Amino acid sequence: MRAYKGQKYIPSLDFDKWIFAVLPGYLNGLRALDVPSPLVVMISLQEISGASLGVGGDSWSFESPIPFNSSELLLPEIMIEDYGTEQDYQRAMRPAFDALWNSAGFAASKYFNDDNLWIGKG
């Protein structure tokens, strides 16, 4: 979480980038250890009460219709049925990212295309 002019916000694009940067490595590590699929991925955000979802690219805006009113947000469990590609993981994870955006008053994440691939821009 970050703050700008006293407003706490979650930088949505950076949050997505971080998850998608580390997730394949974690899953590849589990595969190397012969951990059988399916796997469950769970993401929680802590200490977010009063924060907004920062939406943007080059400049941030705080256009979240609803600030987070709880100190934690548990995103839905995501089942990874089998090891795959980065694109497979993006498709699988979309419901968690949509739930984050839903919690901030948006219909869905702006960073996925119609094929459920993460494009990193709105």
Side-chain angles (χ1 to χ4, degrees), residues 31-53:
R31 182 188 336 213
L33 293 170
D34 293 324
V35 174
S37 58
L39 305 164
V40 175
V41 177
M42 298 169 58
I43 300 172
S44 68
L45 290 85
Q46 304 293 317
E47 309 280 332
I48 63 167
S49 183
S52 296
L53 188 64

Side-chain angles (χ1 to χ4, degrees), residues 19-97:
I19 296 293
F20 287 128
V22 300
L23 183 64
Y26 290 147
L27 295 175
N28 288 336
L30 292 171
R31 182 188 336 213
L33 293 170
D34 293 324
V35 174
S37 58
L39 305 164
V40 175
V41 177
M42 298 169 58
I43 300 172
S44 68
L45 290 85
Q46 304 293 317
E47 309 280 332
I48 63 167
S49 183
S52 296
L53 188 64
V55 178
D58 296 332
S59 61
W60 290 102
S61 67
F62 304 106
E63 59 182 75
S64 297
I66 305 169
F68 298 103
N69 63 3
S70 177
S71 66
E72 74 175 1
L73 176 62
L74 305 175
L75 299 180
E77 299 174 353
I78 300 299
M79 180 78 66
I80 305 289
E81 296 291 341
D82 203 357
Y83 294 105
T85 66
E86 289 184 28
Q87 290 80 17
D88 294 330
Y89 303 147
Q90 290 171 7
R91 285 185 185 101
M93 294 297 295
R94 178 153 191 188
F97 290 97

